[in-house]
């Protein structure tokens, strides 16, 4: 069994809502992430999916400590990194990097490509003699050419910029990369290029990815395991094929049935969800999904469901209506 | 049942005259739509699909843009010959458009009521009260709960999906005969997208309008369109019925687009990405615009721009692979 590189336990991020001009008082909280637990094994890709506002990006950023979590544990290689500060936190950035969604906003327009890619190395005092060849090597690795290094971001297309962002993330040889919607701003043909590149890099550098996206087909393609989020919670998590073929949670079922597939012959039974996502500042009691769930019962309105094993494999869901499967304890 | 097309676009060329050169954003697009039919226009950013829509609505800003060639016919009337005033009475009334981003296309400083009443009264000679009643009816039609009180809300008080519904209600306010939907669900989450597509389909059945659906999402195309035009660098490269297009795609660009989408049933080892980047529209390569990215490019593709020809019944393609001497090779 491969070891867990990252373990997240009961992670919460509540953004306070304050009122009052002089002495602001907290009147509530947006529960962006509300008790999320999962693990990531070394070398695998964990997909994190959900609709806008479900807390998937906040989860990603809380792991990196770009947003300080309100509560909970983030264990990286066995160490709880949630409370890291200052130098300790800075050192951690060598190992965990992030790729952002918007390749237009995440590159400094006044820096050349070379400066952008070597910036992390500069921050960690890598000598210039090593930096320069590394920049050229990285440019080759991500499918650009060394002569691009004197250019500025505006001279590149969206897909090329995303490649620059990837080269920057790789510059310190990280182990874990959090990819926050890395391809959603790109056209399909370019998206496929970047997805292929990310898969190649994973093999070459033995990387572990947390791949955050709302596009379920891309997540299906790239992930080994997938976690589905709804209103700040994980409602279902499991091995990718098992979860896509045999979704247990009604939200996952609805989400999967909503994807339009590029196949005009396929007539599918779509589960239509009524209404919109409730506000995370005032989430429903009980199961957070019960207001939109087509199968909700009395129990769902009162009692909050916990993640439980729903198959003998690696597959858990948080729903009262799904029967728990008791796994045989592993003998030996 | 052969119906007359309601909207015909014939060899449309829309060019932009910029300081750094002429951008041939739309370069020879032809299609027609019948009442009750959904025509899809697919392509990537910069392929000219939105400019095609804007041209039909005569919303191209001149200068720098200009429809330099071609014809636009709506129910036998020549749209290009219309004055701005005449166009105004057609826009929003008989031909309507839904834009991609409902936040920027609704006016943030007016209530939904004001915007809807304004649209209705611009085209219909009705009292304010009648217009409000019509607005309530429309919001109900698109599935907005408690429509009468929601009319008093400002656009920012609605969620993305609800705002898009308001946009649709606004576009439908005068029972248009043609609805142009420019990426109507791109900014929305999948579950909301499913709701909106279902709504559009239902409304189309009820009202019998023609829809021109502009999208980059082949999934959406497969789901809602009857016929599809694939565009690349301002030109149509393939045109066919939707099942024919997915079953027998002919143009290498269409092959690439289909191969770029992750398949949910059988996971591919690798996505079949199209190499390279879309061309600069100011300096299109000689010959076929797609040749530099095409896996099947031949020598003559570099010099000869292929014609858009019917390859089989109702299936047109712009590619030299289907020239007579090549067919034998295949």
């Amino acid at each position: 069994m491969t070891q867990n590189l990252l373990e997240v336990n009961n992670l919460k991020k509540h953004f306070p809502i304050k009122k009052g001009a002089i002495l602001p008082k907290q009147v509530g909280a947006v529960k962006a992430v509300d008790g999320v637990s999962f693990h990531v094994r070394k070398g695998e890709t964990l997909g994190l999916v959900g609709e806008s506002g479900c807390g998937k990006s906040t989860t990603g950023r809380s792991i990196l400590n770009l947003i300080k979590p309100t509560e909970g544990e983030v264990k990286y290689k066995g160490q709880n990194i949630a409370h890291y500060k200052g130098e300790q936190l800075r050192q951690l950035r060598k190992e965990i990097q992030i790729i952002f969604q918007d390749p237009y906003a995440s590159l400094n327009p006044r820096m050349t490509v070379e400066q952008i890619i070597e910036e992390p190395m500069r921050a960690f005092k890598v000598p210039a003699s090593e930096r320069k060849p590394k920049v050229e090597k990285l440019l080759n690795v991500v499918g650009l050419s060394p002569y691009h290094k004197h250019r500025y971001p505006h001279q590149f297309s969206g897909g090329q910029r995303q490649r620059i962002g990837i080269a920057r993330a790789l510059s310190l040889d990280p182990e874990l990369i959090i990819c926050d919607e890395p391809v959603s701003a790109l056209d399909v043909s370019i998206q496929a290029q970047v997805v292929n590149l990310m898969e190649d890099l994973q093999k070459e550098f033995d990387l572990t990815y947390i791949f955050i996206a709302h596009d379920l087909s891309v997540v299906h393609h790239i992930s080994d395991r997938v976690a589905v989020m709804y209103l700040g919670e994980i409602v279902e998590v499991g091995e990718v094929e098992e979860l896509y073929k045999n979704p247990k949670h009604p939200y996952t079922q609805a989400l999967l049935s909503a994807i339009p597939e590029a196949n005009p012959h396929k007539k599918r039974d779509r589960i239509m969800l009524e209404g919109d996502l409730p506000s995370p500042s005032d989430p429903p009691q009980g199961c957070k999904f019960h207001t939109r769930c087509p199968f909700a019962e009395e129990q769902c309105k009162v009692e909050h469901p916990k993640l439980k094993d729903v198959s003998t494999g690696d597959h858990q869901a948080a729903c009262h209506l799904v029967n728990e499967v008791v796994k045989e304890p592993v003998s030996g | 049942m052969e119906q007359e097309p309601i909207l015909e676009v014939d060899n449309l060329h829309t060019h932009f005259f910029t300081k750094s050169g002429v951008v041939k954003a739309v370069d020879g697009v032809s299609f027609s739509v019948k009442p009750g039919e959904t025509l899809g226009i697919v392509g990537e950013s910069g392929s000219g699909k939105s400019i095609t829509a804007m041209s039909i609505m005569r919303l191209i800003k001149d200068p720098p843009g200009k429809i330099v060639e071609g014809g636009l016919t709506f129910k036998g009337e020549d749209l290009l010959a219309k004055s701005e005033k005449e166009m105004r009475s057609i826009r929003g009334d008989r031909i309507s458009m839904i834009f991609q981003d409902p936040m920027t296309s609704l006016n943030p400083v007016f209530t939904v009521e004001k915007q809807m009443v304004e649209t209705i009264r611009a085209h219909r000679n009705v009292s304010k009260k009648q217009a409000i009643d019509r607005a309530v009816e429309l919001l109900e039609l698109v599935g907005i709960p408690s429509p009468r009180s929601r009319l008093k809300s400002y656009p920012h008080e609605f969620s993305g999906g609800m705002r898009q519904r308001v946009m649709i209600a606004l576009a439908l306010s005068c029972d248009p005969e043609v609805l142009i939907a420019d990426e109507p669900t791109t900014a929305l989450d999948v579950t909301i997208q499913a709701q909106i597509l279902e709504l559009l389909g239902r409304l189309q059945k009820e009202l019998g309008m023609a829809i021109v659906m502009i999208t980059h999402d082949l999934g959406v195309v497969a789901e809602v369109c009857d016929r599809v035009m694939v565009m690349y660098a301002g030109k149509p490269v393939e045109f066919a019925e939707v099942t024919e297009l997915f079953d027998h795609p002919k143009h290498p660009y269409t092959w690439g687009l289909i191969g770029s989408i992750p398949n949910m049933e059988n996971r591919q080892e690798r996505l079949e990405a199209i190499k390279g980047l879309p061309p600069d529209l100011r300096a299109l390569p000689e010959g076929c615009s797609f040749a530099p990215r095409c896996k099947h490019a031949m020598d003559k593709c570099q010099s000869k721009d292929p014609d858009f020809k019917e390859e089989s019944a109702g299936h047109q393609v712009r590619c030299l692979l289907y020239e007579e001497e090549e067919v034998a090779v295949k």
Side-chain angles (χ1 to χ4, degrees), chain A residues 120-132:
Chain A
M121 295 187 271
R122 204 186 275 271
F124 285 95
K125 308 225 160 35
V126 177
S129 57
E130 286 175 39
R131 286 198 313 253
K132 305 289 169 193

Side-chain angles (χ1 to χ4, degrees), chain B residues 305-325:
Chain B
D305 192 12
D307 297 325
F308 196 44
K309 287 196 299 206
E310 188 149 63
E311 189 46 41
S312 56
H315 194 157
Q316 290 163 286
V317 63
R318 181 193 298 278
C319 184
L320 292 179
L321 283 176
Y322 302 95
E323 293 271 287
E324 269 160 49
E325 62 265 42

Side-chain angles (χ1 to χ4, degrees), chain B residues 217-275:
Chain B
D217 187 337
L218 284 174
V220 172
V221 169
E223 195 143 303
V224 300
C225 296
D226 300 310
R227 287 184 303 142
V228 191
M229 176 166 78
V230 183
M231 284 186 74
Y232 187 77
K235 294 189 177 109
V237 293
E238 188 159 0
F239 199 144
E241 294 217 345
V242 66
T243 45
E244 167 74 10
L245 185 86
F246 284 95
D247 292 347
H248 309 285
K250 289 196 193 295
H251 198 281
Y253 178 63
T254 316
W255 297 340
L257 275 186
I258 293 174
S260 292
I261 316 170
N263 185 330
M264 301 265 287
E265 307 235 301
N266 315 300
R267 183 145 75 146
Q268 310 100 306
E269 258 310 294
R270 251 181 110 69
L271 296 176
E272 208 181 296
I274 305 172
K275 64 179 182 188

